[in-house]
Amino acid sequence: MARPIITIPIQKVTYTPSGVQSVEIVYTGIVKSLFYDELAVPYNTPTELANFIVPFNKFNGILRVDVTGQNTAVYDILVNGVQTARTRTSYFNTFASTILFGNGPGDALTLGAGTVLKVMVTNVTDSPSDFECRIQYLET
């Protein structure tokens, strides 16, 4: 289930050797985040956690996908049904992981209009668990 979109500007924060902070606007577009969650995912069953269809205007690329959950899991990122990335969560990484595609418009994962990005989760523990993800993308 998708949650509301949150918008934030892209900024680059740097520090001089003397410790002075400098904030620079790197990109005039907007970073948007879509939040998804799936409750009571059964054991060893690939389940669709998120389904994002690239809009026909104002889209520049996927920056990152953050995933988390109550238990150990395997997360697959599929673009038009083809696996693009995979990550695993465990007790050692506090059941959270990030798939970083880029930091700005020059290196984001660019997708054409109408492209489908899916996040699939497979619960690898023997009890039903809840899982969440955030898809962060650029918009002009």
Side-chain angles (χ1 to χ4, degrees), residues 24-46:
E24 172 188 355
I25 301 295
V26 177
Y27 181 64
T28 57
I30 296 171
V31 174
K32 290 197 171 183
S33 292
L34 294 171
F35 296 90
Y36 298 87
D37 59 359
E38 195 67 41
L39 306 176
V41 174
Y43 167 69
N44 210 24
T45 304

Side-chain angles (χ1 to χ4, degrees), residues 31-138:
V31 174
K32 290 197 171 183
S33 292
L34 294 171
F35 296 90
Y36 298 87
D37 59 359
E38 195 67 41
L39 306 176
V41 174
Y43 167 69
N44 210 24
T45 304
T47 304
E48 185 177 294
L49 182 56
N51 187 347
F52 174 70
I53 300 173
V54 176
F56 285 98
N57 57 0
K58 299 183 177 183
F59 179 78
N60 272 3
I62 301 289
L63 291 175
R64 64 193 293 157
V65 176
D66 298 312
V67 293
T68 186
Q70 290 180 323
N71 272 318
T72 305
V74 175
Y75 298 87
D76 292 312
I77 310 298
L78 291 89
V79 175
N80 285 339
V82 177
Q83 183 177 345
T84 304
R86 170 178 273 187
T87 188
R88 299 170 193 273
T89 58
S90 67
Y91 296 99
F92 302 109
N93 58 14
T94 63
F95 304 123
S97 184
T98 297
I99 299 169
L100 185 63
F101 290 109
N103 293 316
D107 59 355
L109 175 64
T110 54
L111 304 172
T115 301
V116 177
L117 179 108
K118 286 186 181 183
V119 179
M120 302 292 290
V121 61
T122 303
N123 180 6
V124 294
T125 58
D126 58 358
S127 62
S129 302
D130 301 341
F131 297 94
E132 300 85 31
C133 83
R134 175 181 74 157
I135 297 174
Q136 191 176 60
Y137 65 97
L138 287 172

